[in-house]
Each structure stands twice: as structure tokens, then as C-alpha cells.
Amino acid sequence: KPEVSDLLVFGPSAFNAYGHVAIVSKVSPTTIEIVQQNPGPLGSSRETYPLRFVGGDWHVESRRLLGWLRLPHKKSPR
């Protein structure tokens, strides 16, 4: 399941031939919210997408979404 601070990777669109990256800012049981910079002429700096658990996997409802990435958690030095 996506977590806050994960990166979402989007494929290309009519306005952006290279794709796009956004940061997960909020997760609820049924949605995720992202923050992004340079969303294009039809986008917003914050967007919300439906989140569903289907067949044992989490799915973010966006036809352009390729997947999400999570940085490994670092252990605190003692």
C-alpha cells in the first residue's frame, strides 16, 4: 500500500512526453493524496486518487500511473 513520502511515477501524457513524479502526502483507507510541482495546464498541485485492494494487491486508480517507489528506511544511529 502506498505510504506518505512514497514517490508515484506517471507515464507520458499529451502535455508531457517524459512522464511525471509526485509525492504521496496523505493516505486514507480509500484514497491517496499527492503533491506535485509543474502539473501542467489541467493539473493541480494537490490531487486525490481512489485506492483499492483487489486480488491481494493495492491499486491506485489512475490510467497513467506506472507504480510507486519507497526509499529504504534508515536506522537511527545510537
Side-chain angles (χ1 to χ4, degrees), residues 1-72:
K1 180 176 184 178
E3 296 178 3
V4 171
S5 297
D6 284 354
L7 300 177
L8 269 66
V9 180
F10 295 90
S13 71
F15 298 109
N16 180 342
Y18 303 103
H20 188 66
V21 176
I23 302 168
V24 177
S25 59
K26 190 184 297 183
V27 179
S28 81
T30 59
T31 63
I32 64 165
E33 178 188 77
I34 63 166
V35 293
Q36 58 188 339
Q37 194 170 14
N38 302 323
L42 303 176
S44 172
S45 63
R46 290 189 184 267
E47 292 185 8
T48 302
Y49 294 95
L51 178 64
R52 306 206 192 298
F53 189 68
V54 180
D57 292 318
W58 287 99
H59 296 270
V60 177
E61 303 276 326
S62 169
R63 63 177 190 240
R64 288 186 45 231
L65 183 69
L66 300 176
W68 59 86
L69 303 168
R70 180 171 303 138
L71 293 174

Side-chain angles (χ1 to χ4, degrees), residues 73-78:
H73 295 286
K74 293 184 179 180
K75 293 183 180 182
S76 302
R78 293 185 177 203

